[in-house]
Amino acid sequence: MRVLVIEDNRDLQANIARFLEPDFQLDFAGTGPEGLALALAHPYDVIVLDLMLPGMSGIEVCQRYRQVAPRLVPILMLTARDTLEDKEEGFQAGADDYLVKPFSLRELRWRLEALARRPVPPSGRTLTWGGLTLEPESGQARWGGRTVRLNRTEALLLRWLMEAAPEAVPAATLAQRLWGDEAPESSALRTHVYALRKALAELGLDDAITTRRNEGYRLDAR
């Protein structure tokens, strides 16, 4: 697995390197601009991104990367900020997972492996449902002349909801597909669904995803 770690703390860089090598191929960047350049230049399996970086914040790196990157590489965001608002900001910027400092290196490894195992969106297939279109590989969603770029997790969730529509997909099924048997706390899926709802709202699709009691989530036919 090839991983890019964008983190300016040299001691943390060294600890990550000692723990993950030689099982992982690691590249390190200490500034936001350097990390963005490496992320766009090489085919990484996962990107680990600190929130507070010199030159460019992790939020800005994530946003810029999602705007231009041709592949939906999963991003794990590292930060000492642990409020729900902080996590929401990270997910909205395009992060797929969130790890709060200080953290266990064992947990970092588990999360990297879980992100790398997530399904790869199919290439060259565009999905359509009620005027909404999704290009799963790039994460581009369109409706009514508007376009929004989804992160990898959001694109997967929307893909599964579109493939099942008009039927609902149980929350347990979505969690199993994303994380296998290592699903995090139950609020993690709700957070990703919330982020997807907000992204679709940018297209003008307010309340496009409905929650069906004892059934799960589904796309509203309207």
Side-chain angles (χ1 to χ4, degrees), residues 94-111:
D96 294 274
D97 202 357
Y98 208 99
L99 189 57
V100 176
K101 297 178 179 179
F103 56 85
S104 163
L105 290 172
R106 291 177 61 196
E107 182 176 2
L108 173 63
R109 180 179 187 131
W110 297 335
R111 287 176 182 260

PDB file of all heavy atoms in Angstrom, residues 94-111:
ATOM      1  N   GLY A  94     -13.992  17.039   1.833  1.00  0.00           N
ATOM      2  CA  GLY A  94     -13.691  15.875   1.005  1.00  0.00           C
ATOM      3  C   GLY A  94     -12.995  14.747   1.708  1.00  0.00           C
ATOM      4  O   GLY A  94     -12.584  13.773   1.073  1.00  0.00           O
ATOM      5  N   ALA A  95     -12.835  14.831   3.046  1.00  0.00           N
ATOM      6  CA  ALA A  95     -12.199  13.735   3.788  1.00  0.00           C
ATOM      7  C   ALA A  95     -13.131  12.524   3.862  1.00  0.00           C
ATOM      8  O   ALA A  95     -14.353  12.659   3.845  1.00  0.00           O
ATOM      9  CB  ALA A  95     -11.827  14.195   5.196  1.00  0.00           C
ATOM     10  N   ASP A  96     -12.518  11.342   3.966  1.00  0.00           N
ATOM     11  CA  ASP A  96     -13.294  10.103   4.083  1.00  0.00           C
ATOM     12  C   ASP A  96     -13.318   9.562   5.504  1.00  0.00           C
ATOM     13  O   ASP A  96     -14.194   8.794   5.868  1.00  0.00           O
ATOM     14  CB  ASP A  96     -12.699   9.027   3.166  1.00  0.00           C
ATOM     15  CG  ASP A  96     -12.833   9.393   1.702  1.00  0.00           C
ATOM     16  OD1 ASP A  96     -13.881   9.109   1.113  1.00  0.00           O
ATOM     17  OD2 ASP A  96     -11.891   9.990   1.146  1.00  0.00           O
ATOM     18  N   ASP A  97     -12.336   9.952   6.308  1.00  0.00           N
ATOM     19  CA  ASP A  97     -12.265   9.472   7.681  1.00  0.00           C
ATOM     20  C   ASP A  97     -11.531  10.520   8.500  1.00  0.00           C
ATOM     21  O   ASP A  97     -10.876  11.418   7.956  1.00  0.00           O
ATOM     22  CB  ASP A  97     -11.543   8.121   7.745  1.00  0.00           C
ATOM     23  CG  ASP A  97     -11.888   7.335   9.008  1.00  0.00           C
ATOM     24  OD1 ASP A  97     -12.644   7.862   9.855  1.00  0.00           O
ATOM     25  OD2 ASP A  97     -11.390   6.210   9.156  1.00  0.00           O
ATOM     26  N   TYR A  98     -11.622  10.371   9.828  1.00  0.00           N
ATOM     27  CA  TYR A  98     -11.162  11.422  10.740  1.00  0.00           C
ATOM     28  C   TYR A  98     -10.534  10.743  11.941  1.00  0.00           C
ATOM     29  O   TYR A  98     -11.147   9.875  12.559  1.00  0.00           O
ATOM     30  CB  TYR A  98     -12.374  12.237  11.169  1.00  0.00           C
ATOM     31  CG  TYR A  98     -12.131  13.674  11.536  1.00  0.00           C
ATOM     32  CD1 TYR A  98     -12.385  14.690  10.634  1.00  0.00           C
ATOM     33  CD2 TYR A  98     -11.675  14.032  12.798  1.00  0.00           C
ATOM     34  CE1 TYR A  98     -12.203  16.028  10.964  1.00  0.00           C
ATOM     35  CE2 TYR A  98     -11.480  15.357  13.142  1.00  0.00           C
ATOM     36  CZ  TYR A  98     -11.750  16.354  12.222  1.00  0.00           C
ATOM     37  OH  TYR A  98     -11.557  17.661  12.556  1.00  0.00           O
ATOM     38  N   LEU A  99      -9.303  11.107  12.275  1.00  0.00           N
ATOM     39  CA  LEU A  99      -8.625  10.531  13.427  1.00  0.00           C
ATOM     40  C   LEU A  99      -8.106  11.667  14.298  1.00  0.00           C
ATOM     41  O   LEU A  99      -7.369  12.541  13.828  1.00  0.00           O
ATOM     42  CB  LEU A  99      -7.469   9.639  12.973  1.00  0.00           C
ATOM     43  CG  LEU A  99      -6.773   8.786  14.036  1.00  0.00           C
ATOM     44  CD1 LEU A  99      -7.764   7.876  14.756  1.00  0.00           C
ATOM     45  CD2 LEU A  99      -5.669   7.941  13.392  1.00  0.00           C
ATOM     46  N   VAL A 100      -8.518  11.662  15.569  1.00  0.00           N
ATOM     47  CA  VAL A 100      -8.208  12.766  16.481  1.00  0.00           C
ATOM     48  C   VAL A 100      -6.899  12.498  17.210  1.00  0.00           C
ATOM     49  O   VAL A 100      -6.660  11.397  17.721  1.00  0.00           O
ATOM     50  CB  VAL A 100      -9.356  12.964  17.491  1.00  0.00           C
ATOM     51  CG1 VAL A 100      -9.005  14.048  18.496  1.00  0.00           C
ATOM     52  CG2 VAL A 100     -10.645  13.316  16.754  1.00  0.00           C
ATOM     53  N   LYS A 101      -6.034  13.510  17.269  1.00  0.00           N
ATOM     54  CA  LYS A 101      -4.782  13.429  18.016  1.00  0.00           C
ATOM     55  C   LYS A 101      -5.047  13.645  19.500  1.00  0.00           C
ATOM     56  O   LYS A 101      -5.910  14.450  19.852  1.00  0.00           O
ATOM     57  CB  LYS A 101      -3.801  14.504  17.533  1.00  0.00           C
ATOM     58  CG  LYS A 101      -3.363  14.365  16.084  1.00  0.00           C
ATOM     59  CD  LYS A 101      -2.438  15.529  15.728  1.00  0.00           C
ATOM     60  CE  LYS A 101      -1.950  15.443  14.301  1.00  0.00           C
ATOM     61  NZ  LYS A 101      -1.071  16.577  13.942  1.00  0.00           N
ATOM     62  N   PRO A 102      -4.309  12.993  20.378  1.00  0.00           N
ATOM     63  CA  PRO A 102      -3.336  11.922  20.101  1.00  0.00           C
ATOM     64  C   PRO A 102      -4.051  10.624  19.750  1.00  0.00           C
ATOM     65  O   PRO A 102      -5.161  10.376  20.210  1.00  0.00           O
ATOM     66  CB  PRO A 102      -2.584  11.801  21.428  1.00  0.00           C
ATOM     67  CG  PRO A 102      -3.590  12.211  22.456  1.00  0.00           C
ATOM     68  CD  PRO A 102      -4.414  13.291  21.822  1.00  0.00           C
ATOM     69  N   PHE A 103      -3.422   9.795  18.949  1.00  0.00           N
ATOM     70  CA  PHE A 103      -4.055   8.568  18.486  1.00  0.00           C
ATOM     71  C   PHE A 103      -3.076   7.405  18.599  1.00  0.00           C
ATOM     72  O   PHE A 103      -1.865   7.584  18.701  1.00  0.00           O
ATOM     73  CB  PHE A 103      -4.517   8.715  17.033  1.00  0.00           C
ATOM     74  CG  PHE A 103      -3.424   9.096  16.085  1.00  0.00           C
ATOM     75  CD1 PHE A 103      -2.599   8.142  15.505  1.00  0.00           C
ATOM     76  CD2 PHE A 103      -3.217  10.426  15.761  1.00  0.00           C
ATOM     77  CE1 PHE A 103      -1.589   8.494  14.632  1.00  0.00           C
ATOM     78  CE2 PHE A 103      -2.200  10.804  14.876  1.00  0.00           C
ATOM     79  CZ  PHE A 103      -1.398   9.829  14.315  1.00  0.00           C
ATOM     80  N   SER A 104      -3.642   6.215  18.565  1.00  0.00           N
ATOM     81  CA  SER A 104      -2.841   4.999  18.581  1.00  0.00           C
ATOM     82  C   SER A 104      -2.342   4.699  17.169  1.00  0.00           C
ATOM     83  O   SER A 104      -3.117   4.765  16.198  1.00  0.00           O
ATOM     84  CB  SER A 104      -3.672   3.834  19.108  1.00  0.00           C
ATOM     85  OG  SER A 104      -3.083   2.594  18.781  1.00  0.00           O
ATOM     86  N   LEU A 105      -1.076   4.362  17.029  1.00  0.00           N
ATOM     87  CA  LEU A 105      -0.556   3.991  15.720  1.00  0.00           C
ATOM     88  C   LEU A 105      -1.211   2.717  15.209  1.00  0.00           C
ATOM     89  O   LEU A 105      -1.361   2.531  13.997  1.00  0.00           O
ATOM     90  CB  LEU A 105       0.963   3.823  15.789  1.00  0.00           C
ATOM     91  CG  LEU A 105       1.754   5.120  15.990  1.00  0.00           C
ATOM     92  CD1 LEU A 105       3.221   4.827  16.244  1.00  0.00           C
ATOM     93  CD2 LEU A 105       1.594   6.049  14.787  1.00  0.00           C
ATOM     94  N   ARG A 106      -1.616   1.843  16.108  1.00  0.00           N
ATOM     95  CA  ARG A 106      -2.346   0.643  15.691  1.00  0.00           C
ATOM     96  C   ARG A 106      -3.679   1.024  15.058  1.00  0.00           C
ATOM     97  O   ARG A 106      -4.082   0.450  14.041  1.00  0.00           O
ATOM     98  CB  ARG A 106      -2.584  -0.279  16.890  1.00  0.00           C
ATOM     99  CG  ARG A 106      -1.322  -0.932  17.438  1.00  0.00           C
ATOM    100  CD  ARG A 106      -1.654  -1.771  18.658  1.00  0.00           C
ATOM    101  NE  ARG A 106      -2.585  -2.838  18.348  1.00  0.00           N
ATOM    102  CZ  ARG A 106      -3.264  -3.522  19.273  1.00  0.00           C
ATOM    103  NH1 ARG A 106      -3.128  -3.212  20.560  1.00  0.00           N
ATOM    104  NH2 ARG A 106      -4.068  -4.498  18.918  1.00  0.00           N
ATOM    105  N   GLU A 107      -4.363   2.009  15.650  1.00  0.00           N
ATOM    106  CA  GLU A 107      -5.632   2.446  15.067  1.00  0.00           C
ATOM    107  C   GLU A 107      -5.403   3.103  13.715  1.00  0.00           C
ATOM    108  O   GLU A 107      -6.198   2.919  12.784  1.00  0.00           O
ATOM    109  CB  GLU A 107      -6.360   3.405  15.996  1.00  0.00           C
ATOM    110  CG  GLU A 107      -7.719   3.835  15.443  1.00  0.00           C
ATOM    111  CD  GLU A 107      -8.507   4.722  16.383  1.00  0.00           C
ATOM    112  OE1 GLU A 107      -7.999   5.056  17.471  1.00  0.00           O
ATOM    113  OE2 GLU A 107      -9.647   5.096  16.021  1.00  0.00           O
ATOM    114  N   LEU A 108      -4.335   3.874  13.590  1.00  0.00           N
ATOM    115  CA  LEU A 108      -4.015   4.466  12.296  1.00  0.00           C
ATOM    116  C   LEU A 108      -3.855   3.387  11.240  1.00  0.00           C
ATOM    117  O   LEU A 108      -4.391   3.502  10.133  1.00  0.00           O
ATOM    118  CB  LEU A 108      -2.730   5.287  12.411  1.00  0.00           C
ATOM    119  CG  LEU A 108      -2.174   5.840  11.086  1.00  0.00           C
ATOM    120  CD1 LEU A 108      -3.149   6.808  10.442  1.00  0.00           C
ATOM    121  CD2 LEU A 108      -0.815   6.518  11.318  1.00  0.00           C
ATOM    122  N   ARG A 109      -3.151   2.336  11.583  1.00  0.00           N
ATOM    123  CA  ARG A 109      -2.951   1.249  10.622  1.00  0.00           C
ATOM    124  C   ARG A 109      -4.285   0.598  10.248  1.00  0.00           C
ATOM    125  O   ARG A 109      -4.552   0.351   9.065  1.00  0.00           O
ATOM    126  CB  ARG A 109      -2.012   0.202  11.218  1.00  0.00           C
ATOM    127  CG  ARG A 109      -1.765  -0.964  10.277  1.00  0.00           C
ATOM    128  CD  ARG A 109      -0.809  -1.981  10.859  1.00  0.00           C
ATOM    129  NE  ARG A 109      -0.483  -2.986   9.865  1.00  0.00           N
ATOM    130  CZ  ARG A 109       0.730  -3.386   9.555  1.00  0.00           C
ATOM    131  NH1 ARG A 109       1.777  -2.835  10.149  1.00  0.00           N
ATOM    132  NH2 ARG A 109       0.948  -4.303   8.643  1.00  0.00           N
ATOM    133  N   TRP A 110      -5.134   0.321  11.238  1.00  0.00           N
ATOM    134  CA  TRP A 110      -6.431  -0.299  10.947  1.00  0.00           C
ATOM    135  C   TRP A 110      -7.250   0.578  10.007  1.00  0.00           C
ATOM    136  O   TRP A 110      -7.868   0.083   9.054  1.00  0.00           O
ATOM    137  CB  TRP A 110      -7.224  -0.517  12.240  1.00  0.00           C
ATOM    138  CG  TRP A 110      -6.589  -1.460  13.203  1.00  0.00           C
ATOM    139  CD1 TRP A 110      -5.704  -2.470  12.932  1.00  0.00           C
ATOM    140  CD2 TRP A 110      -6.787  -1.492  14.623  1.00  0.00           C
ATOM    141  NE1 TRP A 110      -5.339  -3.116  14.069  1.00  0.00           N
ATOM    142  CE2 TRP A 110      -5.980  -2.547  15.124  1.00  0.00           C
ATOM    143  CE3 TRP A 110      -7.555  -0.743  15.516  1.00  0.00           C
ATOM    144  CZ2 TRP A 110      -5.946  -2.852  16.480  1.00  0.00           C
ATOM    145  CZ3 TRP A 110      -7.515  -1.051  16.856  1.00  0.00           C
ATOM    146  CH2 TRP A 110      -6.716  -2.089  17.337  1.00  0.00           C
ATOM    147  N   ARG A 111      -7.240   1.885  10.271  1.00  0.00           N
ATOM    148  CA  ARG A 111      -8.036   2.782   9.446  1.00  0.00           C
ATOM    149  C   ARG A 111      -7.490   2.869   8.020  1.00  0.00           C
ATOM    150  O   ARG A 111      -8.258   2.926   7.048  1.00  0.00           O
ATOM    151  CB  ARG A 111      -8.109   4.170  10.085  1.00  0.00           C
ATOM    152  CG  ARG A 111      -9.001   4.225  11.320  1.00  0.00           C
ATOM    153  CD  ARG A 111      -8.964   5.594  11.964  1.00  0.00           C
ATOM    154  NE  ARG A 111      -9.779   5.650  13.157  1.00  0.00           N
ATOM    155  CZ  ARG A 111     -11.008   6.154  13.217  1.00  0.00           C
ATOM    156  NH1 ARG A 111     -11.570   6.625  12.125  1.00  0.00           N
ATOM    157  NH2 ARG A 111     -11.677   6.183  14.356  1.00  0.00           N
TER     158      ARG A 111
END
